[in-house]
Amino acid sequence: MDLYEYQGKELFGRFGIPVSEGRLATTPAEARSAAEDLGGQVVVKAQVLTGGRGKAGGIKLAEDPADAEAKAAAILGLDIRGHVVRRLWIERASEIETEYYLSLTFDRGVKKPLFMFTKEGGMDIEQVAEETPEALVRLHVDPLEGVQPYHARRLLYGAGIDDPSEQKQITAIVARLYEAFVACDAMLCEVNPLIVTPAGEVKALDSKFTVDDNALYRHPDIAEMRDVAAADPQETLAREKGVTYVKLEGEVGILGNGAGLVMSTLDVIALAGGRPANFCDLGGGGDAEGVVDALEVITTDPQVKSIFFNIFGGITRCDEVARGILEALQRLTISEPIVVRLDGTNAEEGRRLLAEAAPPNLHVSPTMLEAASRAVELSR
Ligand code: GDP
Ligand code: MN
C-alpha cells in the first residue's frame, strides 16, 4: 500500500525524522486557514500517489494566506499522470541550500534491505543511476545485524558529505529511517529531496512510503490511511470479497487456482498474442461462492472482453468449480465469452456438468494452450 506524502511524513515524525510542520486541506478555504495557522511563506503540495508532482505543476510556493488559497484552487482537480488531486498538504516553506537523496528498499535478489544515497537529490533517481552511477552509493544491511553507525559512515563518505554537522544529522536519520522501515513493515521509504537549509538543518522535504499489504493486519493505524475513493474499484471490491486480485492492462480476464498456475496462465495468454486484464487466484478449495465472488470482480472491469478460467484440480474439485461457474452465470449478468479449461480431480464430472447446462457464452477447451488461444481470439 502506497501512502501519501503527508502520511509518510507523519510516520517519519513518529520515528524522529525531521519534517516541516503542515496541515491537510481539501478546499481552497481550508488551504487559506492552514496558511494562516502556519504563518509566513508556505508550500501548497498536491497529494497524489505518484511522483514528479513538481514538474507537473502540483507544487507551488505561496507568499501569504490569500496566495495559498489561489494556488490551492489552481492545483485541486489537476490531473497528474492519471491521478486527480483531491487533497493538499500545506507546509511551512523551507529554504533550500542543497538537495540530497536517501532511500531504503528491499533488494529481493540479495534478500536484504538496501540503502541508496546520493548528493544528486531532487531529480529522478533513475536518471542519476544511469548518467552518474558513481555518484549513487548503494549499501545492503544484514537484517540480523541491523543498521550500525558504520553503515551511515559508508553512505556519507561514499557520497562525499564532509560537513561534520551534516554527517551527524544524516547518521541519525539513516538509523531512524531503518527503524521506521522495519517497524512499519515497509517495502520502500524514500526521501527525495533530503534537504540542507542555509542554517545547516537537515530534513525530509518529501516522502514516498510503501507498506507491505500482507503486513497491514499488524498496523491497523496505517491500514486506516488507505484512501478508498482513490483506489481502483475492482481492487477495492476484491479486497471486500477476500479475492486475490491484481489489475493489469489487457483484455483477457484471468481466473485460476493457485498463484503458480495463474502466473503461467498470464504467460500463455501472452504467448497466444493476447494481454491479460488481471491476475486472479481462487486459491485452494475453490468453492462455488468463491467463484461467484471472483467472477463478479473480473466482470465489473469494463476492459475485460473475454474470460479464461484455468483450473487444475488438486484439492480443488473441478465439479465444484463447474457448479460455481453455472451459479455465477445465473446470479450475474455476464455477457463476455468464457473459456474454461478443467483438468485434474473430478474434471470429467465438471466438464459433464458444463456440457449439460451448455450456457451460450461458455466454451470448454481441453488444453491450456488451446483455451488461451480461444480466449485471446474472443477478446478481439
Ligand atoms: P515531487 O516533485 O513529487 O518529487 O515533490 P517534492 O516534494 O520532492 O517537491 C519537488 C521540488 O519542489 C523539490 O525538489 C523542491 O525543489 C521544491 N520544494 C518543495 N518544497 C519546498 C519548500 O519548502 N521550499 C522550496 N524552496 N522548495 C520546495
Ligand atoms: Mn520528491
Side-chain angles (χ1 to χ4, degrees), residues 45 51-54 59 122-123 190-193 205-208:
K45 307 187 79 174
R53 296 165 299 161
I59 293 180
M123 51 181 188
E190 184 187 72
V191 186
N192 188 23
L205 207 67
D206 191 7
S207 133
K208 214 182 249 180

Side-chain angles (χ1 to χ4, degrees), residues 33-108:
S33 71
E36 276 162 6
D37 256 18
L38 295 165
Q41 203 185 37
V42 295
V43 208
V44 180
K45 307 187 79 174
Q47 298 299 292
V48 279
L49 297 174
T50 183
R53 296 165 299 161
K55 282 181 210 147
I59 293 180
K60 296 209 184 312
L61 284 166
E63 294 307 321
D64 52 50
D67 194 17
E69 185 172 357
K71 298 277 159 66
I75 296 174
L76 280 166
L78 265 188
D79 186 309
I80 300 183
R81 298 198 207 166
H83 299 253
V84 179
V85 183
R86 308 207 182 285
R87 302 180 187 191
L88 300 169
W89 179 240
I90 316 296
E91 176 175 281
R92 189 167 284 154
S94 305
E95 285 185 84
I96 303 177
E97 180 91 21
T98 38
E99 300 192 331
Y100 301 150
Y101 171 99
L102 174 67
S103 71
L104 182 55
T105 181
F106 259 121
D107 186 340
R108 290 172 185 270

